Amino acid sequence: MRAVTMHAPGDVRVEDREDPRIIEPTDAVIRLAATCICGSDLWPYRGADSPDHQHMGHEYVGVVEEVGDGVSTLGVGDFVVGSFVISCGTCEICREGHPSRCVHAIFVDGQIGTQAERARIPFADGTLVKTPGMPDPELIPSLLAASDVLGTGWFAADAAGAGPGRTVAVVGDGAVGLMGVLAARQMGAERIIVFSRHPERQALAREYGATDIIEARGDEGVAALKELTGGLGTHSTIEAVGTQESMMQAIRATRPGGAVGFVGVSHDVQIPGDELFFSAVHLHGGPAPVRRYLPELIDLIWRREIDPGKVFDLALPLAEAAEGYAAMDERRAAKVLLTL
């Protein structure tokens, strides 16, 4: 089969790889219908991490081709959406609602890689969710978004306590931040303030429910937000970048007693203890428990109540994955869908 491998920073190749097969009774093998490139894939692409022939991709939808004897909720021919973290669904951590930190957790990127034609999914019952039927083609981008970027934005909004009467800020106008806007609006947020300098992303943010746009960053951006909120700051803030500046901007934008939901993959973030202490801000985040939200998100998409698929602004065949990485790295695209 054909699959994407990152040999080194900036070196993305589509190569032949051995077809996956059932190894454990709890495995399923799926044929990918679509996959995509994530903003977090840019960290190794830019050299912040050290990829060495790394299997790429962790967002995926497809059709089940084979199941192990221990799989009970899925069958051959089912269309499925999977989480970006493998989870058993039965351990105590999964049962408490944190499947991305399952005791058997495997990150799909690296060990499996779903920027590929096929993939073996361990613990299929605990990782994959089947759709009510075979989806119409126009639903596939939205279902693909649920696999990570929508689920991650949803978790960020949930962790930040977005809801009726709340003012929400979103730090980061990439795909996850935009999905955070959608989620906050679905949860009933009264006001959603987005930090963004990009007209195309601002337009989509407004379509998803943003009420205000701030183009300034850092402390200047925080000052502008405080002016919009009577000097108090927001009740809820979504941090969707993962840098020192974005984390401090999120904390400083949040009022005392408010909450920050942080989902940007953290790189060299250090929070001053005294500032955190006196901020009186709640922090919750990390790898999103996407599997927990998938049934609800699939239902919303299936009933066409939300359209997260609009976040994909470039579609390319899998063979042109390298161009997709370059387009996102150069900010010519917010999120690239790879067709198979």
Side-chain angles (χ1 to χ4, degrees), residues 3 9 16 23 25 57 67 80 83-84 102 115 149-150 154 157 164 203 206 267 308 322-323 327 329:
D16 287 321
I23 298 175
V67 295
V80 292
S83 166
F84 70 94
C102 171
Q115 289 171 10
V149 66
L150 172 61
W154 200 273
R206 289 194 181 278
H267 280 71
E323 166 56 21
D329 179 47

Side-chain angles (χ1 to χ4, degrees), residues 6-328:
M6 189 177 295
H7 285 245
D11 185 359
V12 173
R13 308 181 197 178
V14 180
E15 303 176 315
D16 287 321
R17 212 167 83 200
E18 184 179 354
D19 282 332
R21 58 184 178 83
I22 299 295
I23 298 175
E24 300 292 341
T26 53
D27 291 348
V29 172
I30 64 171
R31 173 172 47 83
L32 277 291
T35 183
C36 58
I37 301 170
C38 182
S40 63
D41 294 334
L42 296 181
W43 289 109
Y45 186 80
R46 292 168 174 165
D49 301 328
S50 302
D52 182 6
H53 295 77
Q54 181 173 326
H55 300 324
M56 298 304 297
H58 55 266
E59 298 163 276
Y60 56 103
V61 295
V63 177
V64 176
E65 288 195 326
E66 188 179 0
V67 295
D69 293 340
V71 176
S72 61
T73 64
L74 307 168
V76 173
D78 285 339
F79 192 94
V80 292
V81 182
S83 166
F84 70 94
V85 181
I86 302 299
S87 54
C88 70
T90 58
C91 73
E92 190 168 337
I93 302 301
C94 284
R95 295 199 309 272
E96 290 176 353
H98 306 286
S100 63
R101 300 304 298 148
C102 171
V103 299
H104 303 290
I106 300 170
F107 280 86
V108 171
D109 181 66
Q111 293 199 41
I112 297 170
T114 53
Q115 289 171 10
E117 293 176 326
R118 288 177 173 81
R120 178 182 73 92
I121 306 300
F123 295 105
D125 285 332
T127 304
L128 302 173
V129 178
K130 64 183 179 182
T131 59
M134 193 60 62
D136 294 333
E138 64 267 21
L139 284 185
I140 288 178
S142 287
L143 292 168
L144 178 61
S147 179
D148 177 3
V149 66
L150 172 61
T152 296
W154 200 273
F155 171 56
D158 192 12
R166 307 277 281 186
T167 295
V168 179
V170 180
V171 180
D173 65 354
V176 170
L178 291 168
M179 293 296 94
V181 175
L182 181 156
R185 175 56 65 198
Q186 279 294 123
M187 294 175 187
E190 182 174 298
R191 191 177 192 184
I192 303 172
I193 304 167
V194 177
F195 292 96
S196 174
R197 295 179 174 180
H198 301 89
E200 298 85 1
R201 300 183 187 191
Q202 292 173 7
L204 187 54
R206 289 194 181 278
E207 186 174 344
Y208 280 145
T211 56
D212 303 270
I213 303 291
I214 294 175
E215 296 197 358
R217 289 181 178 176
D219 289 342
E220 183 183 353
V222 171
L225 181 139
K226 290 288 182 72
E227 187 174 341
L228 287 177
T229 58
L232 299 177
T234 57
H235 302 95
S236 308
T237 303
I238 292 169
E239 190 284 312
V241 183
T243 64
Q244 179 74 21
E245 180 185 50
S246 63
M247 178 63 85
M248 297 315 301
Q249 183 174 328
I251 291 171
R252 291 166 181 167
T254 308
R255 66 178 62 192
V260 174
F262 61 98
V263 292
V265 180
S266 178
H267 280 71
D268 299 321
V269 173
Q270 298 184 20
I271 303 172
D274 56 347
E275 182 168 354
L276 178 63
F277 182 83
F278 287 105
S279 72
V281 165
H282 303 263
L283 293 178
H284 182 38
V290 168
R291 178 59 178 80
R292 184 171 97 205
Y293 299 114
L294 275 180
E296 177 184 4
L297 298 180
I298 290 171
D299 182 61
L300 288 169
I301 292 165
W302 203 261
R303 290 188 283 112
R304 291 170 167 78
E305 291 191 19
I306 58 174
D307 188 6
K310 290 181 180 180
V311 77
F312 294 104
D313 53 358
L314 179 62
L316 296 170
L318 181 69
E320 297 179 24
E323 166 56 21
Y325 275 82
M328 287 182 60

